[in-house]
Amino acid sequence: MTIDLRSDTVTKPSKDMLDAMHQAPVGDDVFQEDPSINALESFAAGMFGKEKALFCPSGTMTNQIAIRCHTQPGDEVICDELSHVYQYEGGGIASNSGASVKLLQGDRGRITASMVESSIHNPDDIHKPVSRLVVLENTANRGGGSCYAFNDILEIGNVARQHGLSFHIDGARLFNALVAKGETALQYGEAFDTISICLSKGLGAPVGSLLLGDDGFIKKARRIRKVFGGGMRQVGSLAAAGFYALQHNIDRLSTDHAHAKAIEAILKEKSFVKEVVPVETNIVIAECMPGFNLSAFISSMSNKGVLFFAISPTRFRMVTHLDIHADMINQLDDSLKQYN
Ligand SMILES: *Cc1c(COP(=O)(O)O)cnc(C)c1O
């Protein structure tokens, strides 16, 4: 049995999800005539209390469309240095939007209102780019699945609003944060101008992300989605997978979090592990002792069917998801027995 802890993107659609996909009515979504896409978009918009939603192939696309809609070339986007929008979207902020980036050094991917406030340029200073957009990420991927305190989000939102900046959240794993912190989608809908959520991470759909915002924003976003090549046709079966995920796979994220905690406890007992970054959701990051041969460890574990990645020469990451079951955690424990 393979235990694939490389990412929560590796999940396969369940039988029930496949049934829902098979039964979905479809139409041409560029004409906005796909009933399953329309149903998903209005359901998701309702969850967050937003006027509209837009289905896109990936979270990279929803983030990049949002950045493009909020900025003009030369404007500045404020985000943490570990942000997905900066680190893992191929330089898209520059190439898609011609915008510059102000990177802040937050705590495990989380920035604060005072950091944001002090990074906003005087709009009358013609030497400076125009500060236009603040992007947060929750949970923070490179932060090891860390969650914001909701009050910090509100404070950052207030600073953004006072200075006329837009406020976007990369919520690829927002539902992990909601479940971990007991927060609601509506709170986030109220706090942010625009929201990106992924259906293909912990929620277990094979593909798809949603961008949420008000009517005017989504109109603009629909145009940019077309420009980016993301206008798709009879994709209602993909929407049905996402709809199924939103209806059935949110509450169970607490199981993934419990499994990640169990992995944290196992790793903490190992002498080759120097430190485990405190687990908050479904991502476990461990730092190895100096001199430990991490790449040999990863390939030896891979031979035993346990897959995960190094994220630096001394750190590795394990991610739990809906295809990781309790018996696999026990098997992981067994596979690690030879390491004290
Ligand atoms: C996965 C991820 C995305 C989107 O990735 P895609 O593979 O393009 O769907 C965006 N933000 C974060 C934090 C992510 O982890």
Side-chain angles (χ1 to χ4, degrees), residues 54-71 77-80 82-99 101 133-141 166-174 192-201 208-212 217-218 220-221 224-225 228:
L54 185 70
F55 183 77
C56 293
S58 71
T60 297
M61 190 180 281
T62 46
N63 282 330
Q64 291 297 318
I65 290 174
I67 292 165
R68 174 70 167 264
C69 288
H70 287 301
T71 61
V77 176
I78 299 169
C79 61
D80 185 88
L82 303 178
S83 302
H84 194 279
V85 292
Y86 176 73
Q87 294 280 354
Y88 300 114
E89 299 187 5
I93 296 178
S95 64
N96 293 321
S97 300
V101 189
L133 170 67
V134 180
V135 177
L136 303 189
E137 184 175 310
N138 203 20
T139 69
N141 181 348
S166 300
F167 196 29
H168 173 76
I169 184 162
D170 174 355
R173 296 188 182 79
L174 182 56
F192 289 90
D193 297 313
T194 58
I195 297 170
S196 162
I197 57 167
C198 287
L199 305 165
S200 59
K201 295 268 166 81
S209 291
L210 287 158
L211 182 57
L212 302 128
F217 172 83
I218 294 296
K220 200 168 163 187
I224 303 300
R225 186 185 69 174
F228 285 0

Side-chain angles (χ1 to χ4, degrees), residues 201-281:
K201 295 268 166 81
L203 296 187
V207 59
S209 291
L210 287 158
L211 182 57
L212 302 128
D214 68 20
D215 190 41
F217 172 83
I218 294 296
K219 259 203 188 89
K220 200 168 163 187
R222 192 179 290 283
R223 169 178 285 274
I224 303 300
R225 186 185 69 174
K226 195 78 184 76
V227 174
F228 285 0
M232 301 183 288
R233 303 295 177 175
Q234 287 75 17
V235 281
S237 45
L238 304 183
F243 207 131
Y244 182 91
L246 288 176
Q247 286 177 315
H248 296 95
N249 291 344
I250 294 177
D251 291 344
R252 61 151 309 285
L253 290 170
S254 56
T255 303
D256 299 346
H257 300 171
H259 289 160
K261 275 279 181 201
I263 293 174
E264 176 185 34
I266 292 167
L267 291 176
K268 273 183 154 169
E269 296 301 311
K270 302 292 167 187
S271 57
F272 72 90
V273 172
K274 183 167 175 228
E275 188 191 358
V276 184
V277 177
V279 167
E280 295 191 27
T281 52

